[in-house]
Amino acid sequence: MLSASLPSSSAPLLVLISPMDRETRGHLLESVAREYRIWLFSDRAADWESPFITGHTLVDTLDAEAMTRAALPVGADAILCWDETRILPAARVARALGLPGLSPEAVLTCRDKHLTRLAVAEAGGPQARSTAVSTLDEAYAAAATTGYPVVVKPRALVGSTGTRMARTPDELAAIFPEIRGTTMTEVRERFEQPVLVEEYLDGPEISVDSLIWDGEVTPLFVARKELSPPPSFEEVGHGVAAADPLLADAALLRALTTVHAAVGITHGWTHSEWRLTARGPALVEVNARSGGDFISYLGLLATGWDAGDAAARLALGQRPRPGTARHGAAAVRFLYPEVETVVGRVTIDRDRLPAGIDIARVVARPGHVLELPPASHTGRYAMLVATAGTADACRRILDAAERAVHLQPAAAPVAVPR
């Protein structure tokens, strides 16, 4: 990955807002830069992105008005963004400039998990029962109505940040103040009712990346998730198989159609998360962008659908097209320590990596504190990507590859509850 070959000066010029990190999003920028000129909008100086861009503007990428002013002299043909925390200001910039893109109203409905619940409930879509609350007493009342266990989450954060399970009123009382006070620098939305108390959905969790064109929803690939044990919901791995039977599941297709119509997305690429419950698929959330956590790369390997190229085409008002699949299945696994650990050194014995490993990468530097959920979501020290003909084969390859990765602590670990 990550080799630059810039297109001609006649290629469309796209403003890319916040490309995110090189490790999990670099393949998206690489893909877009093969065919389009890229003008980068970011809050910092260009770094790893430099070989792929035509120009760069330092700007507050959470401020739609500032970005609109900055975009006028650039003369962009499209506004491009796959950063969850910035897709709403990006949609507002595209509208202000008269360029194609998702409507800000639809993006807001996805970003605000309470608005999602209201819209899907009105459409009769399958989802968790949910109540927005501001106080512990309101949370008690919501949980009593819903029934324990409940999932308690911030209303508009990202990456499962702050999401916890409460099995009893005492557990709810213990976690509620922390969740209510959880914020992220890159999320500026504030709400009078900032916490959701939701029904716990039992069953396997999946995500679906879908293309919506003229209101028709086409699931492109399904990722089967590996989650940490409750009370947290850390995503520790994902697997994508080209022939996943869920792609043709009638109940899931109906649910996808209902949810996308409810939130108002008629053209775009979305990443929705679901639980496969005894009563059928139930929505966890829907996001107005491609999947993160390397899911889009797995989808590319297993199905040929390129989320970066698709995002560019959608931003230009064009229908995306599939590419050629390279493998029958692909999977990623993120490695965590058993207890909170300060990194001394992480090494990978590459001679011991099995065939089928596409990527083996260290993601934690010496001195990094590997904090585990629920305290934090920064506990990953390495990531492994496997490809094979089937999902089961990918899992076996990842199991073997884990033995080639070694974490040496810098200090004695401190046990934290899991």
Side-chain angles (χ1 to χ4, degrees):
M1 293 196 304
L2 301 180
S3 59
S5 179
L6 295 180
S8 71
S9 58
S10 62
L13 178 63
L14 280 56
V15 165
L16 172 61
I17 297 172
S18 181
M20 302 182 69
D21 63 284
R22 179 176 186 171
E23 286 72 22
T24 63
R25 301 301 199 285
H27 65 283
L28 298 177
L29 177 54
E30 178 184 12
S31 174
V32 175
R34 291 193 193 105
E35 192 166 345
Y36 306 98
R37 293 178 297 144
I38 305 298
W39 192 283
L40 179 66
F41 275 16
S42 67
D43 305 88
R44 55 166 176 77
D47 182 18
W48 64 270
E49 310 93 343
S50 295
F52 302 96
I53 63 176
T54 298
H56 176 220
T57 299
L58 281 171
V59 63
D60 182 350
T61 53
L62 293 169
D63 186 332
E65 293 185 0
M67 288 196 291
T68 300
R69 292 192 297 270
L72 288 172
V74 174
D77 297 297
I79 304 298
L80 184 61
C81 183
W82 46 71
D83 183 338
E84 175 66 21
T85 60
R86 291 164 171 84
I87 53 174
L88 180 55
R92 289 171 171 160
V93 173
R95 171 173 285 181
L97 297 175
L99 297 174
L102 291 169
S103 76
E105 294 80 10
V107 175
L108 177 60
T109 301
C110 294
R111 278 289 302 134
D112 182 343
K113 295 177 176 65
H114 182 52
L115 291 183
T116 304
R117 294 299 190 208
L118 294 176
V120 174
E122 184 175 354
Q127 63 176 345
R129 295 188 297 273
S130 177
T131 306
V133 303
S134 60
T135 67
L136 180 57
D137 286 342
E138 291 175 352
Y140 280 144
T145 300
T146 300
Y148 289 92
V150 292
V151 175
V152 188
K153 62 175 68 172
R155 185 165 164 176
L157 300 188
V158 297
S160 300
T161 301
T163 300
R164 302 277 298 280
M165 176 194 286
R167 302 178 182 89
T168 65
D170 286 345
E171 288 186 0
L172 178 56
I175 66 175
F176 185 83
E178 178 184 347
I179 295 173
R180 194 186 192 289
T182 299
T183 59
M184 296 176 65
T185 303
E186 295 186 339
V187 176
R188 293 180 182 172
E189 295 98 328
R190 298 292 182 266
F191 305 99
E192 290 185 10
Q193 296 173 307
V195 176
L196 299 184
V197 177
E198 300 196 333
E199 170 191 12
Y200 171 69
L201 299 171
D202 199 7
E205 184 165 342
I206 65 165
S207 66
V208 185
D209 277 54
S210 302
L211 173 65
I212 302 88
W213 191 260
D214 287 339
E216 181 180 356
V217 183
T218 302
L220 306 178
F221 49 84
V222 170
R224 307 271 182 160
K225 294 179 179 291
E226 296 180 28
L227 299 177
S228 65
S232 300
F233 299 91
E234 182 80 354
E235 296 176 355
V236 301
H238 309 274
V240 174
D244 195 305
L246 285 173
L247 291 169
D249 182 83
L252 181 58
L253 292 174
R254 286 194 300 271
L256 285 164
T257 297
T258 299
V259 164
H260 286 88
V263 299
I265 294 179
T266 59
H267 294 79
W269 179 305
T270 66
H271 174 77
S272 55
E273 299 180 352
W274 303 79
R275 285 276 183 148
L276 303 179
T277 73
R279 65 179 189 260
L283 180 71
V284 176
E285 62 182 52
V286 57
N287 304 284
R289 39 85 182 165
S290 58
D293 233 7
F294 239 59
I295 292 172
S296 60
Y297 184 63
L298 303 181
L300 174 62
L301 293 175
T303 71
W305 276 101
D306 186 333
D309 179 75
R313 292 181 183 278
L314 286 164
L316 289 162
Q318 303 169 4
R319 182 168 186 160
R321 60 192 182 194
T324 302
R326 307 178 202 175
H327 305 276
V332 63
R333 183 174 297 171
F334 303 100
L335 305 190
Y336 294 74
E338 294 185 359
V339 297
E340 182 176 308
T341 303
V342 179
V343 175
R345 187 182 181 195
V346 182
T347 58
I348 299 176
D349 185 350
R350 298 194 177 273
D351 291 337
R352 294 184 60 194
L353 289 174
I357 287 295
D358 183 80
I359 295 174
R361 182 179 295 156
V362 173
V363 297
R365 297 179 180 179
H368 184 85
V369 179
L370 301 175
E371 294 183 310
L372 302 178
S376 177
H377 295 261
T378 61
R380 298 170 175 176
Y381 62 87
M383 62 173 288
L384 301 166
V385 174
T387 59
T390 66
D392 285 342
C394 286
R395 281 190 287 271
R396 291 192 294 270
I397 292 168
L398 292 172
D399 290 342
E402 277 198 51
R403 296 191 283 271
V405 185
H406 307 284
L407 168 63
Q408 179 181 341
V414 179
V416 295
R418 295 295 304 264

